[in-house]
Amino acid sequence: MKKLSFIAGFAMLLWTVLLACSEEKATPDEPETGGDPITTFFKGEVRPSETLPCFSGAYYRKVVSSKDKWLGIGGKVVLPQITFDENRKNPNKPGQYLDNPSIYLGGNMGGQETDIGLTWEVIRDENGNVTADRRAFRPFLRRTGYSATGQQAAYENAPAESQYYWYPGDEVEISIRVLENKKIRFVVAGEGKRFERDFDCDGYNVNSFGEFKRVNAIDQVANEGKPVQPTQTEVTGAEWKETHYFRLYEGEVVEVPVHNQRFTDMRCPGRNHFNIIATDEELKVGAEKINISGSGY
C-alpha cells in the first residue's frame, strides 16, 4: 500500500510539474485571440491609457505606448516644412527664433526619461563657420539623471558635419532600441546619410517594463514647464509612413506595428493646434500626416 501511495503521489507531482510548465510556456507573448499577436495584441499585453496629462511648454503631438515589455520604438518619416513667426525672433541670438521644430523618439524606464531624435539646429557652413541661424535637422540625444547609480543628466548633438544634416522633405528612418542593459542604440538614416550612436542609460534594461514615445513638436526657447507662448509658427507636411515598437517574441526582437489601439493619442496643449490625417489602413501601421499650427486650425 505504501508503495502504491508513493507511486500515486509521484504521478500526481509529475502531472502538476508538467501542467505548470505548460502554463508557464503559455504566458509569454501569445496571441490575445486566434490572430497574429504582432499585428493584434500579445496575450497579457498592457493596453495604453485613455488619456495622459500634457507637460507644458511646447506644441506637440505625442504617440506614447503602454508601460510594458517594449524594447524601443522606430519608424519612417518625411521631415516637415517650417514657417516661422517673424515676430518671435530670439533677442539673444540674432537670426534664430523663439520657436523650434523637432521630431524625436524617447522613453521612460526606471524613471529615467530620454528624448532622442532630430531638432532644427545651427550648422557649420562650407567655410567651417557656425551659422547664426538654424538651417538643418541634426540628431540630438538627451537623458535625465538616474539616482540609483548616480548617472548624471546629459545632452549632446551629432557633430556639425554635412553627413549629419537633414532637411525639410527628406525621408528618414529613425529608431531607438534597448541594446543591452544600460545601453540604447539610436539610428537615423536616409538620403544617403546615417548617424548611429550607442547611448548609456542606466535605467534601461532588457527585462524591464517601460514606455516609449514618438513626438512631433514646436518647442519654445526657455519655456519648458510654462504655458505655451502664442505664435504664428507652423510646422506642416510631416508624414509618418509607419511606426513600430520593438519587442522580444519567440527569442527574436521583432517590429510591432503601432496600430491605433496601441498608443495614447496626445495633442498638447489642445487638439485645435493639430491637423492629423490618416486612413484606416494607415492607422493599422502607425502612419499619419501631421500639421501643427501655433495659431490653431
Side-chain angles (χ1 to χ4, degrees):
M1 287 294 292
K2 286 184 179 178
K3 187 174 182 181
L4 286 174
S5 297
F6 173 78
I7 293 171
F10 179 77
M12 181 61 70
L13 177 61
L14 181 61
W15 171 251
T16 303
V17 170
L18 289 172
L19 182 62
C21 290
S22 172
E23 288 174 348
E24 187 177 348
K25 288 178 182 176
T27 18
D29 290 356
E30 287 196 347
E32 180 83 355
T33 62
D36 173 16
I38 293 176
T39 57
T40 57
F41 293 101
F42 297 101
K43 185 171 183 179
E45 179 178 330
V46 179
R47 300 298 199 268
S49 301
E50 289 275 334
T51 60
L52 288 168
C54 289
F55 182 76
S56 301
Y59 299 86
Y60 63 92
R61 184 323 186 248
K62 180 192 287 190
V63 163
V64 59
S65 74
S66 61
K67 191 171 185 180
D68 203 349
K69 297 183 288 184
W70 309 117
L71 290 174
I73 188 169
K76 184 182 293 185
V77 62
V78 177
L79 301 178
Q81 305 295 323
I82 312 158
T83 305
F84 286 108
D85 185 339
E86 294 297 329
N87 294 315
R88 280 183 47 78
K89 291 188 175 178
N90 191 336
N92 300 317
K93 294 185 177 180
Q96 296 185 26
Y97 295 87
L98 292 170
D99 301 314
N100 204 60
S102 61
I103 291 184
Y104 59 95
L105 308 173
N108 189 303
M109 272 190 171
Q112 186 174 41
E113 188 83 14
T114 54
D115 299 315
I116 299 174
L118 296 168
T119 187
W120 192 244
E121 261 291 5
V122 297
I123 65 171
R124 288 190 182 276
D125 63 21
E126 58 277 6
N127 298 316
N129 300 314
V130 177
T131 58
D133 57 329
R134 299 175 188 259
R135 296 188 183 181
F137 286 101
R138 276 174 60 196
F140 76 97
L141 303 97
R142 171 187 170 272
R143 69 166 187 246
T144 61
Y146 189 64
S147 57
T149 61
Q151 186 177 53
Q152 299 298 303
Y155 181 93
E156 61 183 65
N157 281 108
E161 301 172 5
S162 59
Q163 60 186 319
Y164 304 131
Y165 303 155
W166 281 272
Y167 300 93
D170 285 352
E171 184 174 301
V172 300
E173 293 188 48
I174 184 168
S175 65
I176 60 168
R177 200 187 93 181
V178 181
L179 190 64
E180 58 188 64
N181 288 348
K182 302 183 179 183
K183 196 176 294 293
I184 295 175
R185 174 163 291 171
F186 168 47
V187 179
V188 55
E191 308 299 332
K193 307 169 191 177
R194 181 184 178 89
F195 177 78
E196 182 174 317
R197 169 87 164 87
D198 291 350
F199 195 47
D200 293 332
C201 294
D202 285 358
Y204 287 66
N205 292 292
V206 173
N207 295 316
S208 295
F209 277 45
E211 64 179 29
F212 289 88
K213 63 189 177 186
R214 187 202 79 192
V215 182
N216 289 55
I218 299 176
D219 298 315
Q220 297 194 303
V221 175
N223 200 54
E224 192 167 332
K226 303 173 185 177
V228 289
Q229 301 302 306
T231 182
Q232 299 292 315
T233 293
E234 294 186 345
V235 177
T236 59
E239 181 178 359
W240 286 95
K241 299 297 186 73
E242 59 92 12
T243 312
H244 55 266
Y245 301 130
F246 294 104
R247 191 177 180 109
L248 187 64
Y249 176 59
E250 295 185 340
E252 294 184 3
V253 176
V254 296
E255 295 180 0
V256 180
V258 181
H259 59 63
N260 62 338
Q261 295 182 61
R262 267 186 169 141
F263 68 88
T264 303
D265 178 341
M266 299 180 68
R267 308 181 195 193
C268 302
R271 299 179 73 85
N272 60 305
H273 294 286
F274 302 89
N275 175 26
I276 297 177
I277 304 164
T279 65
D280 289 343
E281 289 304 307
E282 288 170 333
L283 290 172
K284 294 177 182 178
V285 295
E288 63 183 14
K289 300 176 181 68
I290 302 175
N291 303 297
I292 310 174
S293 169
S295 59
Y297 289 100

